[in-house]
Amino acid sequence: MSNIIDSSVTSSMNAIAGGGSARESDELRENFMTLLITQLQNQDPLNPMENAEMTSQLAQINTVSGIEELNSTLAGITGQIDAGHTLQAAGLIGQGVLVPGDRILVGKDGATPFGIELDKSADNVKATIRDGGGQVVRSFDIGAVSSGVESFEWDGKLDSGEMAPEGAYRISFEATSGDDSVDAKALNYAVVSGVSSDNNGSPRLDLGGINEQATLEDIRQILRL
């Protein structure tokens, strides 16, 4: 009988830890108590259950209840965190941000900013801009760049000195430190136009300028307009 009770407790703990409903855990807890009472009623009078054994089994069912309460508390904390993230994301609406990507947009008012993310400092960084067909239209040296995130602006001029036609362009980098290459990630500019939620309730930033979405973790830098 004791093995059956232990198995019932284990099932209860597994069900709760695995996200089982409160109704399921209540049923398992009731089954446990029924088995315990049955064991007490049918125990051998000459060999009764020891206090230590009963205390151990009661402690196990209390553990089951504790896990359930802990899961409920964690769910509440997670909800509060998600709400805080959503509020934080809403504060970015209308702001310019740098997110992973290599796109530069050229319009009547000039070119959008771009950024670079380096794992370590580089002695020299060379930027190359290509048009939609992959042809190089501009290349220039940025110089030394510290590790982390830095933002820059392109004047919109081609290598010929003429202004680039309106449209979308791509930027790439070659970064070196001495004779070693440095990993360089391109960042593109976007304006946060709205906030939505994914299936888990986490906020998603709508980047209307490039018709994409990003998470708060994708934001590398906020550029005040």
Side-chain angles (χ1 to χ4, degrees):
M1 181 73 74
S2 178
N3 290 337
I4 296 176
I5 293 179
D6 290 341
S7 177
S8 176
V9 173
T10 301
S11 298
S12 299
M13 295 177 69
N14 290 340
I16 295 173
S21 66
R23 178 174 173 273
E24 291 175 338
S25 62
D26 286 342
E27 290 178 351
L28 289 170
R29 190 158 47 245
E30 290 176 3
N31 290 339
F32 171 88
M33 295 304 299
T34 299
L35 288 171
L36 179 60
I37 293 172
T38 301
Q39 180 179 357
L40 292 174
Q41 291 175 339
N42 295 278
Q43 64 182 333
D44 184 354
L46 299 178
N47 185 27
M49 180 187 296
E50 295 183 2
N51 290 338
E53 184 178 0
M54 181 181 296
T55 301
S56 173
Q57 293 180 355
L58 289 175
Q60 290 182 64
I61 193 59
N62 286 334
T63 299
V64 172
S65 299
I67 293 175
E68 185 181 39
E69 293 175 1
L70 178 61
N71 284 344
S72 177
T73 300
L74 290 176
I77 293 175
T78 300
Q80 292 177 359
I81 292 175
D82 287 342
H85 285 170
T86 300
L87 183 62
Q88 181 182 0
L92 292 174
I93 295 177
Q95 296 294 334
V97 296
L98 289 180
V99 295
D102 61 357
R103 184 177 301 180
I104 298 178
L105 300 177
V106 175
K108 295 180 180 179
D109 298 327
T112 56
F114 63 90
I116 183 174
E117 184 175 14
L118 298 175
D119 293 333
K120 63 179 183 178
S121 299
D123 298 332
N124 186 65
V125 175
K126 180 180 179 180
T128 301
I129 299 175
R130 293 177 170 82
D131 60 19
Q135 297 296 315
V136 176
V137 298
R138 180 73 186 274
S139 59
F140 52 91
D141 289 328
I142 295 178
V145 179
S146 301
S147 61
V149 174
E150 294 285 349
S151 59
F152 302 93
E153 293 189 4
W154 173 35
D155 59 10
K157 292 183 178 180
L158 307 175
D159 280 336
S160 64
E162 300 177 352
M163 290 299 298
E166 294 184 15
Y169 296 80
R170 305 270 179 192
I171 189 166
S172 60
F173 302 102
E174 293 180 16
T176 57
S177 177
D179 295 330
D180 299 327
S181 61
V182 177
D183 184 34
K185 300 180 180 68
L187 306 172
N188 59 219
Y189 174 85
V191 176
V192 180
S193 60
V195 176
S196 57
S197 298
D198 60 18
N199 294 332
N200 297 320
S202 298
R204 303 284 295 184
L205 303 174
D206 298 322
L207 308 179
I210 56 177
N211 193 30
E212 294 179 357
Q213 289 191 327
T215 66
L216 286 173
E217 290 74 19
D218 291 327
I219 304 299
R220 297 297 189 269
Q221 192 176 86
I222 300 174
L223 304 178
R224 301 295 179 183
L225 300 180

